Amino acid sequence: MNVAIYPGSFDPITNGHLDIIERSSRLFDRLIVAVLKNPNKKSLFTVEERIEMIKGAVSHIKNVEVDHFSGLLVDFARKKNAKIIVKGLRAVSDFEYELQMALMNKKLYGELETIFIMTNTKYSFLSSSIVKEVASLGGCVKDLVPPVVEEKLREKFKNK
Ligand code: PNS
């Protein structure tokens, strides 16, 4: 059975992430969306909120599950018996850091392969950070994030 992990901060999940999840779910038997729990990184949403939003957005895809991890991604991959990491690439600017991470992960866990999926062009400008900025300033993020996220963002920023 081919188990793949799609890791990230997902603070919050965007339609760009969802597009990568939908497309990669067709390539593997099981896809685990893994939310990084990093106490050193300031986030807008708690890990629990992020997981709940992802679950809401992927409920229509049968072979996708949502989990969280802390520490090294390779340790989580070993625990889950996964040998594939899926990453989305938006632009050449993403590549340098992604290459570095893929090579380091390979060094730490030789059987692990990182597979890159090119983002859909309609989401190539999208990131969680830019979505948060627009939402915090009262801009419309419909079509950029799943409806459950749009609602949560509105709630977060309603008194700002
Ligand atoms: O959505 P992000 O913030 O770009 O995701 C980055 C993530 C979570 C994939 C990356 O930071 C990661 O894998 N962190 C876990 C710690 C780790 O394994 N570090 C060594 C990777 S080379």
Side-chain angles (χ1 to χ4, degrees):
M1 190 191 257
N2 264 332
V3 185
I5 294 176
Y6 179 45
S9 302
F10 303 108
D11 185 38
I13 185 169
T14 68
N15 283 347
H17 294 127
L18 191 55
D19 177 63
I20 299 287
I21 294 170
E22 280 169 349
R23 287 160 60 203
S24 51
S25 71
R26 291 183 217 121
L27 303 175
F28 310 106
D29 299 312
R30 257 177 87 202
L31 180 72
I32 304 170
V33 180
V35 181
L36 175 66
K37 193 171 189 166
N38 182 356
N40 300 322
K41 198 169 163 187
K42 216 179 150 285
S43 61
L44 177 64
F45 294 102
T46 65
V47 170
E48 291 71 26
E49 288 175 312
R50 284 181 261 161
I51 289 176
E52 193 188 311
M53 287 185 279
I54 301 170
K55 281 188 173 163
V58 304
S59 59
H60 61 292
I61 320 173
K62 291 264 171 304
N63 60 337
V64 173
E65 50 202 91
V66 189
D67 207 336
H68 67 274
F69 74 105
S70 48
L72 284 176
L73 177 60
V74 290
D75 291 337
F76 180 72
R78 276 203 186 91
K79 198 173 88 185
K80 293 288 171 182
N81 212 4
K83 296 195 170 77
I84 302 158
I85 300 296
V86 174
K87 289 293 192 82
L89 275 185
R90 286 167 300 196
V92 177
S93 51
D94 282 340
F95 182 75
E96 209 169 329
Y97 184 50
E98 290 297 341
L99 175 68
Q100 190 182 21
M101 279 198 287
L103 294 178
M104 178 55 89
N105 285 333
K106 183 86 179 152
K107 166 89 183 135
L108 296 170
Y109 181 12
E111 290 173 64
L112 195 71
E113 297 296 346
T114 301
I115 293 188
F116 292 100
I117 295 191
M118 302 310 139
T119 196
N120 189 316
T121 46
K122 68 181 178 189
Y123 300 129
S124 62
F125 63 96
L126 206 50
S127 70
S128 298
S129 310
I130 207 161
V131 161
K132 282 183 281 193
E133 177 165 345
V134 170
S136 74
L137 298 170
C140 176
V141 293
K142 190 175 175 288
D143 299 333
L144 305 181
V145 294
V148 58
V149 175
E150 194 192 351
E151 198 181 310
K152 278 271 188 188
L153 281 167
R154 206 175 305 120
E155 245 171 59
K156 276 275 180 210
F157 293 120
K158 75 176 166 216
N159 298 321
K160 300 249 161 80

